[in-house]
Amino acid sequence: MIGLIKAEYRKIFTTSLWWALLIPVVVLGFAAGWLGTAFGGIIDMVEEFSASLPLGLLSVALSTNFGTIFALLFGAMAFASEFRAKTITTTYLTANPRSSVLWAKLIACAGIGVLYGLANVLFASLGALLGAGHDMSNFGGFGSWLSVGGAGVLSMLLWTLLGVGFGALIANAVLVVILPLVYKFVVEFILSFSLIDTAVSGIEPYLPGSAGNGIVSNLAVPLFVSAVAGPNEPNTPRTAFELLHLFFGGSYGHPWWASLLTFLGYTALFVAGGWFVGARRDVA
């Protein structure tokens, strides 16, 4: 297994995919951090509170929820690109059973997912710090920043692993790029809005994209409101939470750990599907 993992890392670092997808993670992270701290609508919404605004927490959540799509694409392409390049046959012949290839890719890609997560949190925090004029109170307490940052790294890791499972399941380098983009930014977007104020609106936090976003946002938003409102937090109107969630992701009243468990379920489902189909797929 160690040899397979080393081989997977060689495949990763001898191609440009890992750093090509890391660039938008860094750029979007920094931009989200910068813009998040200058978000005028948030200032207007909370102007009744006489406390510092830890907008850096929301910036990290925003950048994570944008950046995870690149982690997913990396994980998916790590598997599907082997089918496009016709190297999967050699990979399967040198590894027995086939499931060991999937495990090796999961372990290797997990390291890249953590790298993406750390880069996202660090550059989003840097952008937020510069956007706030070097005001460290922009991040609330150190524990809050560490919690949100840790959740961001975990979210990026899980999206990467889900991508590996998805790539093993689909095994088409074009479809593994198109389908996630269409689903996350079109299908689920439309579906989420169509569920508002309906009898089944409660299922929205359990959709894949919403669950993935909620890992960070359902932690960052309550921490933000708690830091700003202080003892008046119980009196904070629901509309304030809902507006924050609208811009920064997540769902009102849905705990972050519930989103984590839901997304873990989706990740396990795709990995299991990739294992089942991959073990039976004919390769040339």
Side-chain angles (χ1 to χ4, degrees):
M1 178 59 73
I2 294 177
L4 284 176
I5 295 172
K6 289 181 178 178
E8 290 303 325
Y9 273 119
R10 290 194 198 100
K11 294 175 186 176
I12 289 172
F13 291 118
T14 54
T15 63
S16 59
L17 180 67
W18 73 274
W19 61 259
L21 291 176
L22 178 60
I23 291 174
V25 171
V26 168
V27 173
L28 286 174
F30 184 85
W34 181 286
L35 295 175
T37 53
F39 194 67
I42 300 297
I43 303 296
D44 294 336
M45 186 186 68
V46 297
E47 63 182 359
E48 60 185 282
F49 302 123
S50 57
S52 60
L53 301 176
L55 289 166
L57 300 178
L58 299 180
S59 298
V60 171
L62 181 65
S63 66
T64 301
N65 293 338
F66 275 113
T68 49
I69 189 64
F70 299 103
L72 183 148
L73 293 177
F74 168 78
M77 287 297 296
F79 219 120
S81 61
E82 289 221 48
F83 287 89
R84 180 186 61 185
K86 304 298 184 181
T87 59
I88 191 64
T89 304
T90 303
T91 299
Y92 278 154
L93 288 175
T94 55
N96 187 30
R98 287 187 180 185
S99 58
S100 60
V101 175
L102 177 60
W103 282 110
K105 286 187 180 294
L106 286 170
I107 293 171
C109 290
I112 304 300
V114 171
L115 172 64
Y116 279 26
L118 290 173
N120 167 70
V121 171
L122 291 176
F123 278 90
S125 299
L126 177 62
L129 186 62
L130 295 177
H134 304 87
D135 184 3
M136 294 300 296
S137 64
N138 184 59
F139 298 101
F142 177 73
S144 296
W145 175 82
L146 194 62
S147 297
V148 173
V153 174
L154 180 58
S155 177
M156 200 74 74
L157 167 63
L158 291 178
W159 277 97
T160 305
L161 298 182
L162 186 148
V164 174
F166 183 68
L169 179 64
I170 302 301
N172 183 296
V174 176
L175 290 180
V176 297
V177 173
I178 295 176
L179 292 180
L181 292 173
V182 171
Y183 175 78
K184 186 172 184 180
F185 296 111
V186 179
V187 176
E188 186 162 323
F189 180 80
I190 295 173
L191 187 58
S192 296
F193 272 91
S194 66
L195 289 173
I196 295 175
D197 295 327
T198 65
V200 293
S201 60
I203 70 172
E204 189 272 337
Y206 298 97
L207 297 174
S210 294
N213 292 347
I215 296 173
V216 186
S217 297
N218 288 341
L219 180 63
V221 169
L223 285 174
F224 173 83
V225 174
S226 178
V228 173
N232 292 321
E233 181 184 358
N235 300 320
T236 303
R238 174 173 176 166
T239 53
F241 284 93
E242 291 179 337
L243 183 58
L244 285 167
H245 281 301
L246 177 64
F247 284 102
F248 297 102
S251 306
Y252 172 73
H254 197 73
W256 73 274
W257 55 263
S259 296
L260 173 61
L261 292 177
T262 302
F263 198 76
L264 274 171
Y266 282 114
T267 302
L269 181 64
F270 275 99
V271 170
W275 165 80
F276 181 82
V277 174
R280 293 158 178 78
R281 180 181 284 117
D282 292 330
V283 292

